[in-house]
Amino acid sequence: MNEPTTEGRKLSRSFGWLALLGTLLVIAGIIGLVYTGVATLTSMLLFGWLLLVGGLVGLLHAIESRGTNYFWLGVVVAALNIAAGVVVIKHPEGTAEALTMFAALLFLTGGVFRLVGSVVVRGPQMGWTLLQGAFGLLLGLLVLFDWPHSSLYVLGCFFSLALLFDGLGLIAIGIGGRRIVSMVSERLDETVPAADKPITAPEDEQK
């Protein structure tokens, strides 16, 4: 009867590690928001290494599947990933500038489409869509007008916010999971002893 308790402890420990990981991510996100320039360069270097490692893995996979119809396609895609990873690692500042410009254009186009679409369609969520479009358009203009200086903090800010919210989500999952495991363990502790009590035979009737 110790198996449920043991499994509960393992689950609780796993959720505890999950909450600890979330705490570390939250701390990293807060530090990144304070030092956005460092966070930007860090995100670019991580992005470059991911491209490089992914390209090498893709190249090995393509070599293993040589003789198939997709061999050369895999080689070309892997070579492009490797080349892009090398460029990003060697020139993280220039990559950040290019990606910041791309993000600003995405904000601008997304904001314009939301504004025009909300005015044309006039759906029930028109006010909310207008607000989203105006915010996207304003954000894109702010990033674009301050470019290339905005590349020093925009990507780092987004990267840090992603770490922060992911960490908060993991903390919530970890704490909630531990509470559920604790509640289930308490219910099992209440029901198991009653079921394990020996059934005593009634005493012989007194003669």
Side-chain angles (χ1 to χ4, degrees):
M1 289 298 176
N2 293 328
E3 291 182 1
T5 304
T6 304
E7 292 296 329
R9 290 175 180 174
K10 290 181 179 179
L11 284 175
S12 180
R13 193 179 300 112
S14 300
F15 281 117
W17 284 111
L18 199 63
L20 178 60
L21 177 60
T23 303
L24 294 177
L25 290 179
V26 168
I27 295 173
I30 293 174
I31 294 175
L33 290 175
V34 176
Y35 302 100
T36 52
V38 177
T40 298
L41 292 179
T42 303
S43 62
M44 290 298 96
L45 291 175
L46 287 175
F47 179 57
W49 280 108
L50 285 175
L51 286 175
L52 183 60
V53 173
L56 292 175
V57 173
L59 183 61
L60 292 176
H61 181 70
I63 292 174
E64 291 178 356
S65 61
R66 59 183 178 274
T68 61
N69 296 328
Y70 303 100
F71 170 71
W72 289 110
L73 178 61
V75 171
V76 171
V77 172
L80 290 175
N81 285 332
I82 292 173
V86 171
V87 171
V88 172
I89 293 172
K90 285 188 175 182
H91 305 284
E93 295 88 355
T95 305
E97 292 179 1
L99 290 179
T100 302
M101 174 64 75
F102 182 69
L105 294 176
L106 282 181
F107 287 137
L108 285 174
T109 54
V112 170
F113 276 113
R114 282 192 175 91
L115 288 175
V116 174
S118 62
V119 173
V120 172
V121 177
R122 297 181 179 273
Q125 302 294 330
M126 178 180 176
W128 179 248
T129 307
L130 281 173
L131 182 61
Q132 287 181 326
F135 179 76
L137 184 62
L138 179 61
L139 185 60
L141 291 175
L142 290 175
V143 173
L144 190 61
F145 288 157
D146 199 27
W147 189 87
H149 182 263
S150 59
S151 62
L152 297 176
Y153 58 86
V154 170
L155 297 179
C157 183
F158 290 162
F159 179 67
S160 302
L161 287 175
L163 290 178
L164 181 62
F165 287 114
D166 287 344
L168 291 175
L170 290 178
I171 291 174
I173 293 174
I175 295 176
R178 293 196 69 176
R179 288 180 178 176
I180 293 175
V181 171
S182 178
M183 292 172 60
V184 173
S185 298
E186 290 178 358
R187 291 292 181 89
L188 289 176
D189 291 339
E190 292 176 358
T191 57
V192 169
D196 289 345
K197 288 181 180 179
I199 300 176
T200 57
E203 295 181 356
D204 295 333
E205 295 180 2
Q206 294 180 357
K207 296 180 180 180

